[in-house]
Amino acid sequence: MLLSLVLHTYSMRYVLPAAVMLGTAPTYILAWLGWRLFSLFLPGARIYQEVDDRFYTIYQSMVLFFFENYTGVQIILYGDLPKHKENIIYLSNHQCTVDWIVADILAIRQNALGHVRYVLKNGLKWLPLYGWYFSQHGGIYVKRSAKFNEMEMRNKLQRQMDTGTPTYLVIFPEGTRYNPELTKVISASQTYAAEQGLAVLKHVLTPRIKATYVAFDCMKNYLDAIYDVTVAYEGTVDQMGKRKEAPSMTEFLCKECPKVHIHIDRIDKKDIPEEQLSMRRWLHDRFEIKDKLMIEFYDSPDSQRRSKFPGKCINSKLSLKKTLPSLLFLGGLTASMLMTESGRKLYVKTWIYGTVIGCLLVSIKV
C-alpha cells in the first residue's frame, strides 16, 4: 500500500504545474486585455507589439520554470545558437507536445522569448482563452493540403513586418507528430517520398513545403536566418532498445525525461533557395540530415555514441532569475484576485465568457 501511495504521488507531480499554468490564464488574459484596450488610444501598433511581447515573456518564462527548474531536466545543446536575438524561421522535427516548449527553451537563451510566434494547426484555435490570444500575438493557424490559405498567412506576416515586430517564427514542417507506434502514418510518409524520388526517412516524416516556403518567400528581406533544430528526448527507448513514443507534457512534468538533446544549425538566408521546387529539395535534404542525427541517437552500433548527437555539446542550465519572478508575479496576482468575492466572480466569468467570445472571434477572423 505504501508503494502504491508513493507511485501515485509521483504520478501527480504534474498537478501543481498544471494548476498554476491553467489557473493563471484568466489573470493573464485580463491583464493583457486591459493593455490591448488602452493601446487603441495610442498612435501606431509598434508600442502595443512591444508591450505584448513583454506580457508573453512573463507568461512563458513562468511556464519554463516548470519545464526546466521544476523538472530539473538537463538541456544539452549542440551546434551554434547565437547569443543575440535575430529574426528567424525555426524549423524542427515534431514528435510530441513538448516540442512547443523546446522553442521557448532556445528563445529564452537569446532573450527572444516574447518574439516566439507559431504556425499552428487549425484545431488549436479552439483552445479556451489562448486560442484567440495566440492569433493576436502573431500565431498563424493553417489547414492542410488544399485548404491551406496562403494569402491569409502572407497578410498576417506582412502586418508584423509593417510594424517592425521581431519574429521567431516556429514551424514544424512534418505537419503531424512522428510516433513510432503509428506505423501507417510512417509508411504513408515513406511511400510518398519514394514516389517523389526523395530519400526515404526513418526517424522523421517527409516534410511539407508550403508553410515554410510562404514564410520565407514573404519574409526573406526581413529575416536574418533559419534555425534548423533537431530534438531528441533521452529515455525514449524500450527494453529492446527500440524507439518509443516521446514524452507527453504530463510525463515530462512527472520528470520522466532526464535530458533533452537539441541540435541547432544556423543557416544564413543567402544559403536558402528561393524558388519553391528548389526549396522543397533543400528542405527534404535538411530533414535527411535530421534523420541521420536521429539514427545516430537511436541506432548507432557503437553504444558510446547512442543517446547523444555527434559533436561538441554543452549542458545549458536556466537560472531561476529568468523564471521565478514571473511565477511569483502571476501567482501572486491570481491569488489576490481569488481572495475576494468580486475577484472570484470576475475570474469565473473570464473563463466562461472569455472562452466563448474568443471562439466566436477566432471563427470569424482566422
Side-chain angles (χ1 to χ4, degrees), residues 137-151:
H137 183 66
I140 301 169
Y141 292 108
V142 296
K143 297 179 180 179
R144 295 177 184 172
S145 61
K147 295 182 178 180
F148 182 90
N149 191 329
E150 178 178 332
M151 189 53 63

Side-chain angles (χ1 to χ4, degrees), residues 88-361:
I88 61 108
I89 295 174
Y90 171 111
L91 303 177
S92 176
N93 60 317
H94 191 22
Q95 51 203 310
C96 66
T97 49
V98 183
D99 295 334
W100 304 99
I101 304 299
V102 172
D104 289 348
I105 285 172
L106 294 183
I108 198 171
R109 285 160 170 78
Q110 296 179 278
N111 292 317
L113 185 57
H115 309 329
V116 176
R117 310 174 206 283
Y118 297 101
V119 174
L120 302 150
K121 63 181 179 182
N122 196 59
L124 292 173
K125 71 183 183 182
W126 304 114
L127 282 172
L129 297 183
Y130 286 116
W132 183 61
Y133 172 70
F134 284 147
S135 176
Q136 293 296 297
H137 183 66
I140 301 169
Y141 292 108
V142 296
K143 297 179 180 179
R144 295 177 184 172
S145 61
K147 295 182 178 180
F148 182 90
N149 191 329
E150 178 178 332
M151 189 53 63
E152 187 175 275
M153 183 174 182
R154 287 182 181 274
N155 290 340
K156 191 78 175 273
L157 293 172
Q158 189 61 53
R159 287 196 294 271
Q160 293 180 33
M161 290 187 290
D162 289 344
T163 57
T165 303
T167 298
Y168 203 99
L169 185 66
V170 178
I171 302 176
F172 298 102
E174 289 163 287
T176 191
R177 300 174 206 161
Y178 178 100
N179 182 346
E181 297 177 6
L182 300 179
T183 55
K184 288 185 178 180
V185 174
I186 296 171
S187 178
S189 173
Q190 293 174 338
T191 299
Y192 175 79
E195 290 173 348
Q196 298 297 314
L198 301 169
V200 174
L201 308 174
K202 180 180 180 181
H203 284 291
V204 293
L205 300 177
T206 303
R208 302 165 186 260
I209 184 59
K210 188 155 280 187
T212 304
Y213 169 72
V214 171
F216 185 77
D217 185 60
C218 185
M219 303 176 69
K220 58 192 173 188
N221 295 323
Y222 193 74
L223 297 172
D224 296 302
I226 281 182
Y227 291 178
D228 184 11
V229 179
T230 307
V231 181
Y233 298 93
E234 194 163 305
T236 50
V237 292
D238 61 21
Q239 293 179 343
M240 302 297 292
K242 299 294 183 180
R243 182 179 178 183
K244 63 180 183 180
E245 187 177 2
S248 65
M249 282 193 175
T250 298
E251 291 167 337
F252 196 93
L253 290 169
C254 285
K255 306 185 181 183
E256 293 186 20
C257 178
K259 296 180 183 179
V260 179
H261 297 259
I262 309 171
H263 188 282
I264 309 106
D265 272 337
R266 181 192 182 278
I267 305 167
D268 195 277
K269 65 179 181 181
K270 65 179 175 56
D271 297 323
I272 301 164
E274 297 183 11
E275 195 272 327
Q276 186 169 355
L277 288 178
S278 299
M279 181 179 281
R280 181 189 180 201
R281 168 62 69 176
W282 173 85
L283 183 61
H284 195 85
D285 288 345
R286 295 308 309 180
F287 268 73
E288 191 174 357
I289 293 172
K290 291 180 184 296
D291 199 43
K292 290 176 180 177
L293 288 170
M294 298 295 275
I295 288 172
E296 183 85 359
F297 189 91
Y298 286 107
D299 305 328
S300 175
D302 183 352
S303 61
Q304 298 298 317
R305 295 168 62 181
R306 258 179 262 143
S307 295
K308 60 184 177 182
F309 292 135
K312 294 181 179 180
C313 64
I314 61 169
N315 186 346
S316 179
K317 187 172 178 60
L318 187 63
S319 170
L320 275 171
K321 294 179 181 179
K322 291 276 192 178
T323 61
L324 188 57
S326 295
L327 172 67
L328 296 176
F329 174 74
L330 283 175
L333 206 60
T334 303
S336 298
M337 178 184 252
L338 294 174
M339 288 175 66
T340 64
E341 183 178 354
S342 58
R344 288 191 292 272
K345 288 181 179 179
L346 179 60
Y347 182 89
V348 173
K349 287 179 179 179
T350 302
W351 263 121
I352 297 172
Y353 296 122
T355 298
V356 173
I357 295 172
C359 287
L360 288 174
L361 289 172

